[in-house]
Amino acid sequence: MATLSIDAERLLGRLRELGQIGRAGDGRLIRLAGSDADRAGRDAFVAWLREAGLDVAVDRIGNIFGIWRDRVNTDEAPVLLGSHIDTVIDAGIYDGSYGVLSGLEVIETLKAAGFAPARPVAVAAFTNEEGVRYAPDMMGSLVHAGGLSVEEALATIGTDGTILGPELERIGYAGPEEPGFLKPHVYVELHIEQGPVLEREGVSIGAVENLQGISWQRVVIDGAANHAGTTPMSMRRDAGHAAARVVTFLRDRAKNANAPTVATVGCMSFEPNAINVIPSHATFTVDLRDPDEGRLRAEEAALAAYLRHLAGAEDVTISVERLARFEPVTFDRRIVELVEDAARNRGLASRRMTSGAGHDAQMIARIAPSAMIFVPSTGGISHNPREHTPDAALVAGANVLLDVVTRLAAE
């Protein structure tokens, strides 16, 4: 078969159309899982799946699958593509959606060319990858892979007090299929890098060979509120100051480490939150990431030891809640090599790399050989309305995905 190429105009047009669904009154893109905006985005995606002649299936956690079964042995496990279409607050238009719509575009291109796959090819839009409204993130793919029960996931209470299960029913996406009903032969996810490496090095394609482990914790520090003007510094039980010490401890440790470890305190609140009152209560989150499980555990242990020391030094009480914990993932070597081959054959420079962000691929890797393809992100910006990847780079990534799928689906 002659070298195929995707329909660039169709892919880019759909990306922009989906990118307008979920705009708030102030123009921000907000398509949180289970929301009315999520329903509108899902409706558009399902309409495109049906237009492409794919079988549409929705499971109980709301994962959407478009399945191409024409003229193939339907008993064979499918080549699965996909990502997610939910967003963060004030998002860009590429994160997740690019992988979903490119997966659909690849199937449509192969169908139009008369390609006869040896097994089904499917595209998935997984529920609640971002985890903004409901925790944990990557929930739909985690449930699909058997890492979280569907009952527990559906009972999750959101940041706005809603429950995920009833919200999925309300928007019409509490499907009948049991999660995991579609066990893939392989899984490939195309995504923008969300980092600066490819652009900085002038490389077109990232062949993602592994993904960082992630540790999320919530830390609560209790001290004593008192007057900001009359309480001597030596007599304070200042929860705010103790929290600040944790922030600097984490940053200094990560910066001074000869390793790719990263540490972030992304949320923090004080009580009573008054300018002239010493904080009696501080709550904050800690996000630790490293591609090596041993180093990640060492960082968790170092934080725990520091918190024990801090409690005595500052005369405060500290409690910790684990929010999420995912081990590092090593992707399938053969698929990574196929990505490199496809890039080379297209005349594109590629490099192997680690994903610093979490993705649905890390969950599906639990049940099937998996890998990811990255394309450059301008300025390394993501989770931001300035998130951007040039059209030519988007098309190049989709064509690499097309070539990889052509090889995998012919097996």
Side-chain angles (χ1 to χ4, degrees):
M1 177 180 289
T3 301
L4 296 176
S5 292
I6 58 99
D7 184 329
E9 183 178 349
R10 181 169 58 194
L11 172 61
L12 298 173
R14 284 175 176 166
L15 264 173
R16 290 167 185 140
E17 184 175 341
L18 184 57
Q20 293 306 308
I21 297 175
R23 294 283 173 183
D26 57 5
R28 296 185 302 164
L29 176 59
I30 307 173
R31 204 163 54 234
L32 304 185
S35 65
D36 290 341
D38 186 27
R39 171 171 52 194
R42 288 165 174 269
D43 288 349
F45 178 54
V46 168
W48 290 325
L49 294 177
R50 297 195 190 283
E51 288 173 10
L54 306 186
D55 296 335
V56 177
V58 182
D59 67 15
R60 292 175 59 202
I61 197 62
N63 295 325
I64 302 170
F65 300 88
I67 309 167
W68 179 28
R69 293 191 174 102
D70 294 349
R71 300 180 295 149
V72 300
N73 183 352
T74 56
D75 292 332
E76 294 287 346
V79 174
L80 183 61
L81 317 172
S83 195
H84 63 97
I85 64 171
D86 67 307
T87 74
V88 297
I89 296 170
D90 201 13
I93 71 171
Y94 303 105
D95 179 1
S97 297
Y98 171 53
V100 173
L101 297 180
S102 293
L104 172 57
E105 180 58 41
V106 163
I107 294 174
E108 290 186 278
T109 299
L110 291 175
K111 284 190 67 177
F115 177 74
R119 60 179 66 251
V121 183
V123 58
F126 291 108
T127 294
N128 190 42
E129 192 272 352
E130 295 293 4
V132 174
R133 192 182 184 198
Y134 302 100
D137 55 350
M138 298 170 284
M139 181 186 285
S141 53
L142 178 62
V143 172
H144 185 82
L148 178 68
S149 74
V150 64
E151 289 78 16
E152 184 177 352
L154 292 174
T156 303
I157 299 174
T159 56
D160 55 359
T162 59
I163 300 174
L164 178 58
E167 284 295 273
L168 288 173
E169 292 177 6
R170 182 184 67 82
I171 67 171
Y173 282 93
E177 302 290 345
E178 286 297 322
F181 78 98
L182 193 75
K183 187 177 186 302
H185 171 63
V186 293
Y187 176 77
V188 187
E189 182 170 351
L190 175 61
H191 209 283
I192 59 170
E193 181 193 349
Q194 300 181 283
V197 175
L198 293 176
E199 183 190 47
R200 182 185 62 206
E201 298 185 1
V203 176
S204 300
I205 298 294
V208 185
E209 60 181 349
N210 56 15
L211 192 149
Q212 292 197 113
I214 302 174
S215 171
W216 281 5
Q217 301 174 66
R218 179 185 290 117
V219 180
V220 177
I221 301 179
D222 285 301
N226 213 329
H227 197 290
T230 62
T231 309
M233 300 300 290
S234 61
M235 299 178 65
R236 298 185 178 208
R237 298 178 58 224
D238 188 338
H241 177 247
R245 289 187 62 179
V246 178
V247 175
T248 56
F249 166 80
L250 290 169
R251 180 175 176 81
D252 291 346
R253 183 176 174 86
K255 283 188 68 176
N256 294 328
N258 186 26
T261 309
V262 291
T264 306
V265 173
C267 303
M268 181 176 286
S269 63
F270 292 160
E271 294 179 14
N273 200 35
I275 191 171
N276 58 350
V277 180
I278 299 166
S280 62
H281 187 86
T283 302
F284 57 95
T285 57
V286 175
D287 179 322
L288 295 172
R289 305 191 188 207
D290 196 287
D292 181 83
E293 174 65 14
R295 286 197 303 262
L296 184 59
R297 290 190 179 190
E299 293 308 309
E300 291 175 315
L303 173 60
Y306 183 74
L307 292 177
R308 288 193 295 271
H309 162 75
L310 186 67
E314 296 289 340
D315 192 19
V316 294
T317 301
I318 302 178
S319 60
V320 179
E321 175 189 3
R322 170 159 287 177
L323 301 178
R325 180 58 159 83
F326 301 121
E327 293 187 357
V329 172
T330 299
F331 287 129
D332 183 77
R333 179 177 178 180
R334 177 170 168 271
I335 303 176
V336 174
E337 291 173 350
L338 287 177
V339 173
E340 292 175 315
D341 289 344
R344 186 180 308 111
N345 292 336
R346 294 269 178 178
L348 301 169
S350 70
R351 77 182 306 275
R352 294 197 179 191
M353 60 192 309
T354 296
S355 172
H359 296 285
D360 291 310
Q362 75 187 84
M363 302 306 169
I364 304 304
R366 300 182 178 196
I367 59 173
S370 302
M372 296 189 70
I373 304 168
F374 278 174
V375 295
S377 294
T378 301
I381 296 171
S382 185
H383 286 184
N384 184 306
R386 294 191 295 122
E387 173 183 276
H388 180 70
T389 295
D391 289 352
L394 295 169
V395 173
N399 278 326
V400 169
L401 178 65
L402 171 65
D403 295 346
V404 171
V405 172
T406 301
R407 293 278 299 275
L408 294 171
E411 298 176 339

